[in-house]
Amino acid sequence: MKLADILTPLALIATVAFCMPNTVAHAQEAPKLKITPLQKEPLTGQPDKEVVALIVEWPPGSGTGLHTHPGDEYTTVLEGEVVGRKEGSEAKTYGAGQSYHNEPGVVHEANNKASAPAKTFNVFVVEKGKPVSEPAKR
């Protein structure tokens, strides 16, 4: 048996094994949210807080993952549907025209589980200088 007869199948196996995790990772990667900042202003009378307004576009299958905010989040669904869930609670679906509120420090997530895109208008009243959102600590 020639060395090439042994190495060729091994090279093929190594190539498939190397490429497979990359293919699986790409296939499982969720679509990214598109965030468009609209406004960031100090909150009148409260110099330690600011108001941040954004539009979020949710491709089908996209989501936030579990996270918290250092202040209040107010969201109105403009188009499509968004499924929100606070940790320890049942998920709730919000359609166009519906709104929801997440309190500071509450672990929650939101997803677009539908086959159509969604769009939300989000307003945050947060502590100045802190990120608007942080991944939930485990």
Side-chain angles (χ1 to χ4, degrees):
M1 183 175 264
K2 295 181 192 174
L3 184 59
D5 292 338
I6 296 170
L7 292 180
T8 302
L10 288 177
L12 180 60
I13 291 169
T15 301
V16 169
F18 178 77
C19 292
M20 207 168 184
N22 291 336
T23 304
V24 172
H26 288 295
Q28 294 175 350
E29 192 172 303
K32 303 281 187 223
L33 301 173
K34 179 182 175 194
I35 299 171
T36 304
L38 299 176
Q39 186 177 19
K40 184 177 183 177
E41 299 288 332
L43 182 61
T44 302
Q46 295 193 31
D48 61 330
K49 297 202 184 254
E50 60 190 0
V51 178
V52 179
L54 343 146
I55 294 288
V56 180
E57 295 177 57
W58 305 73
S62 63
T64 62
L66 290 171
H67 65 284
T68 62
H69 302 287
D72 290 280
E73 172 193 20
Y74 302 92
T75 300
T76 299
V77 179
L78 302 174
E79 298 172 11
E81 292 182 344
V82 174
V83 178
R85 184 183 69 83
K86 295 179 185 180
E87 196 167 62
S89 299
E90 294 292 319
K92 184 172 179 187
T93 301
Y94 300 91
Q98 293 184 305
S99 299
Y100 60 90
H101 170 238
N102 287 308
E103 300 83 4
V106 172
V107 176
H108 64 281
E109 65 183 335
N111 299 283
N112 179 1
K113 296 183 178 183
S115 58
K119 186 183 286 188
T120 57
F121 174 67
N122 300 60
V123 176
F124 301 89
V125 180
V126 295
E127 293 179 43
K128 195 176 222 171
K130 289 198 174 180
V132 171
S133 178
E134 294 181 345
K137 294 177 175 76
R138 294 277 164 212

